[in-house]
Amino acid sequence: MARDPRHQRVYRIHFAALGWANQLGHSDFKGERLAHILVDENGVIPSAPNVSKALREAKALGLIGQDSKAACLVLPSHMFQKASVGGRTCSAHGITGRAAA
């Protein structure tokens, strides 16, 4: 659903946060990867300012955590808990090893 341009970009960001989340609820994207996921129906990759605007809107709606950024979307702990699937690190936020969410 994150890649589906029929959905509004703000919800696609939420879907990406859910779909790529590790055990910490972090979706650690490298470089322009998030922008490539948010490509529109014409194959146009959104600009960095457009991605930033959508991130601000998603934060305002509570769809992602306030510390989210294009490199890593973060789900609030009250929204996301994962027992044992995925990693417990986030290079974008400098979390390594057994750090708490």
Side-chain angles (χ1 to χ4, degrees):
M1 292 174 72
R3 296 184 191 278
D4 188 342
R6 296 175 300 167
H7 297 289
Q8 293 178 19
R9 191 173 289 150
V10 67
Y11 295 109
R12 292 174 65 193
I13 286 174
H14 177 68
F15 298 143
L18 289 170
W20 277 267
N22 65 13
Q23 286 185 29
L24 299 173
H26 286 238
S27 302
D28 191 358
F29 298 103
K30 308 289 190 245
E32 295 294 313
R33 186 169 172 209
L34 179 60
H36 287 103
I37 291 168
L38 300 174
V39 66
D40 72 13
E41 62 276 355
N42 297 314
V44 176
I45 298 169
S47 66
N50 285 335
V51 172
S52 293
K53 178 183 176 194
L55 287 169
R56 284 191 304 275
E57 292 172 358
K59 289 176 188 181
L61 290 171
L63 298 172
I64 57 175
Q66 293 299 314
D67 51 347
S68 293
K69 51 188 173 182
C72 179
L73 303 176
V74 179
L75 291 165
S77 60
H78 71 274
M79 180 185 295
F80 182 85
Q81 296 178 12
K82 203 168 186 179
S84 63
V85 180
R88 295 187 57 83
T89 64
C90 178
S91 62
H93 284 99
I95 299 172
T96 59
R98 297 183 178 154

